[in-house]
Amino acid sequence: KNQVEQSPQSLIILEGKNCTLQCNYTVSPFSNLRWYKQDTGRGPVSLTIMTFSENTKSNGRYTATLDADTKQSSLHITASQLSDSASYICVVSEGTGANNLFFGTGTRLTVIP
Amino acid sequence: EPEVTQTPSHQVTQMGQEVILRCVPISNHLYFYWYRQILGQKVEFLVSFYNNEISEKSEIFDDQFSVERPDGSNFTLKIRSTKLEDSAMYFCASRLGSGYEQYFGPGTRLTVT
């Protein structure tokens, strides 16, 4: 069964600190893995996308890693800001024609001053 | 920058009533999707639409749901007889083609009373 699991469920950190969010998946065949940021009441916004051959990708203060052998990914946020408070969702795309997306339950990050 | 738009932002309806949720995908996109997110839960795939027909649908997308692209710009989701458990955020998404990024709209919050 295609699944995406994320940990932790929630995280509270001080402004300026770093944090790492985890994602494990069983989606097969695999096409790509995305990390999305979802603000409360809004649609998900893509942060990074990685294919099978990529093992790290950065977007500003966000750095994602992918280990396709162990089917694990992480999102590292550097020097957190209050505006980073949101849900971070790991989404794996199935490698079929429909390219269906499988969503994790997300990690709720709260950055406090 | 082009974006997916959805209307209304919030819809309140009584159980048993029909609702139509509207989406305007990005103009040159060819693939269209509906997802839902029950409060506190993960985003779930409902249906994908390509070339004026449904290409894939999930178990959630039963006979009370239907989709339509009535005029080449709008993409609608109809729920024929709403149930309390249909209360959720409904997200529309579109993408240019196979392998391209999906772009999400801001969502419609549906509340069934």
Side-chain angles (χ1 to χ4, degrees), chain B residues 89-105:
Chain B
M89 282 287 281
Y90 288 81
F91 294 105
C92 172
S94 70
R95 65 184 169 103
L96 177 61
S98 183
Y100 284 82
E101 184 69 50
Q102 282 192 33
Y103 290 86
F104 286 81

Side-chain angles (χ1 to χ4, degrees), chain B residues 13-19 64 79-83 112:
Chain B
T13 189
Q14 289 191 324
M15 198 167 54
Q17 295 297 304
E18 174 184 287
V19 293
Q64 70 160 340
I79 310 175
R80 259 178 277 281
S81 177
T82 50
K83 303 192 272 277
V112 182

Side-chain angles (χ1 to χ4, degrees), chain A:
Chain A
K1 187 178 178 184
N2 292 319
Q3 285 190 316
V4 179
E5 304 285 343
Q6 289 186 245
S7 62
Q9 270 192 324
S10 62
L11 185 60
I12 300 174
I13 61 172
L14 289 174
E15 187 179 9
K17 297 296 186 183
N18 304 335
C19 66
T20 301
L21 315 180
Q22 302 290 343
C23 173
N24 298 322
Y25 63 92
T26 59
V27 178
S28 182
F30 173 86
S31 176
N32 56 62
L33 185 147
R34 299 168 167 89
W35 281 94
Y36 282 89
K37 179 184 179 185
Q38 185 180 21
D39 292 309
T40 302
R42 304 301 305 271
V45 175
S46 180
L47 295 175
T48 64
I49 178 170
M50 287 185 293
T51 59
F52 187 87
S53 58
E54 296 172 298
N55 55 24
T56 187
K57 185 165 277 190
S58 291
N59 176 5
R61 293 180 297 103
Y62 302 105
T63 299
T65 65
L66 173 65
D67 185 334
D69 292 329
T70 62
K71 299 187 177 181
Q72 295 181 323
S73 176
S74 66
L75 179 70
H76 186 75
I77 304 175
T78 304
S80 60
Q81 300 175 357
L82 297 179
S83 58
D84 292 333
S85 295
S87 285
Y88 291 84
I89 307 173
C90 176
V91 182
V92 181
S93 178
E94 191 182 23
T96 64
N99 282 153
N100 290 333
L101 302 182
F102 293 88
F103 289 74
T105 51
T107 292
R108 178 73 205 171
L109 175 66
T110 304
V111 181
I112 58 176

Side-chain angles (χ1 to χ4, degrees), chain B residues 17-59:
Chain B
Q17 295 297 304
E18 174 184 287
V19 293
I20 297 176
L21 310 183
R22 291 185 165 77
C23 169
V24 179
I26 295 174
S27 63
N28 60 341
H29 284 193
L30 301 176
Y31 294 77
F32 313 108
Y33 304 82
W34 282 102
Y35 296 86
R36 80 170 185 191
Q37 185 177 29
I38 295 170
L39 186 64
Q41 298 185 23
K42 65 182 177 182
V43 177
E44 300 172 289
F45 167 75
L46 291 178
V47 65
S48 56
F49 191 87
Y50 170 71
N51 201 25
N52 282 320
E53 61 183 21
I54 290 173
S55 46
E56 195 153 343
K57 58 184 180 179
S58 71
E59 293 172 351

Side-chain angles (χ1 to χ4, degrees), chain B residues 3-4 8 11-12 20 22 25 34-35 38-40 44 47 49 52 60 62-63 66 68 71 75 85 88 91 109:
Chain B
E3 57 184 16
V4 177
Q11 173 93 45
V12 181
I20 297 176
R22 291 185 165 77
W34 282 102
Y35 296 86
I38 295 170
L39 186 64
E44 300 172 289
V47 65
F49 191 87
N52 282 320
I60 304 166
D62 60 22
D63 291 344
S66 62
E68 199 176 36
D71 56 14
F75 180 51
E85 54 265 37
F91 294 105
R109 177 169 297 284

